[in-house]
Amino acid sequence: MMNVDAIANLLLDWYAANARDLPWRRTRDPYAIWVSEVMLQQTQVATVIPYWERWMGRLPDVKSLAEASEQVILKLWEGLGYYRRARNLRLAARQIMQRSGGVFPSDLGGMLELPGVGRYTAGAVCSVAFDEPEPIVDGNVVRVLSRIEAVAGDPAEPSVNRQMWGWARQLVEAASVTGRAKACSHLNQALMELGATVCTPREPECTRCPLALECRAYRAGNPAGYPKARSTPRVTPRHFVVIVAEHEDLLCIRRRPDNAVNGGLWEFPNIEVNSPEADPSAIVRRLFGVRRVKPEPWCRVRHSITRYRITQHVHRVAFLGVRPATRAAGEWRTLEELRSLAFSAAHRRIVDRLGEANESAD
Ligand code: SF4
């Protein structure tokens, strides 16, 4: 049985002495905290800081976000991945403008009505901005709680996950009656902070942990054995042929459909192929309707998305004379124009390489 009162007080004491000074911790503005929480999902703090500062400089409030174009928000988000999160932020801002003239909801129910806002984000904004006793459970919190209680089950199992939320609620409610300032906000942030900095996945630093005496996994001598490891899905290779088509000083690019992965972002025309040996001439024919063109192999760009190990086989082709009407639904832009558009990470690397190649050719 978890000693919630003792753990809540230990966490609050530890947080008072050890909280990192992060830019979004210097404000109680729910909008600023909401943006930081969405950015921090699946992303390290150090990566998020410059993104958050750029975003807040350009879109400092709900109104400016609601009025921003999709390309502006995608460009500000470029490189963070999971672009649906950025588009949902804008949709939610528009909803807040319509329903309450830009006043951010201050209760869990109101937040859960916003597009893209789930239980975690709503709980984080409620507790951090408004000091409400709402729990949050993310990967860091799961790790800490699994170890404190030496949970044998898989946290992805609904029953175990419910247990996590139950403990997180008990802890934040215990904090709320301590009479300490910003207790709910600090309790939730302490749990996440402890998971991020002390109770880390592989080598938890139990000897400097405030919860060591309360931790069953530590007492059992096996803290890194929790939470129970999930079986990792099989890695799957995927190959794409990418065509960098040039006509005079223009390059052909296209915008990804809104409902696709990386929707709204730009990319060079490409087709997924079964084999890395696929004939790029046939790809040019399919994309541009042009025959008897032999594209030059140029580079490979490798990246991973979830279990997929993706290789982009990039070829260059220069069209002389009449510019082909693109079946790939592409647009022709200068390299300079490409720099101001939002690309998916792999295609951004191709843009960067084109820039480097141009500079070394000058
Ligand atoms: S004692 Fe170790 S395993 Fe337990 S919560 Fe602290 S850091 Fe994590």
Side-chain angles (χ1 to χ4, degrees), residues 143-144 147-148 194 198-200 204-207 209-213 215-218 223-224:
R143 190 163 54 253
V144 173
R147 289 171 176 175
I148 291 173
L194 191 76
V198 177
C199 193
T200 53
E205 295 184 65
C206 301
T207 52
C209 177
L211 307 183
L213 290 177
C215 181
R216 293 180 182 207
Y218 177 50

Side-chain angles (χ1 to χ4, degrees), residues 259-286:
N259 55 1
V261 175
N262 294 334
L265 296 180
W266 292 86
E267 64 179 10
F268 294 94
N270 64 84
I271 287 181
E272 183 166 12
V273 292
N274 291 329
S275 153
E277 310 304 326
D279 175 13
S281 299
I283 305 290
V284 169
R285 196 162 62 239
R286 279 177 62 191

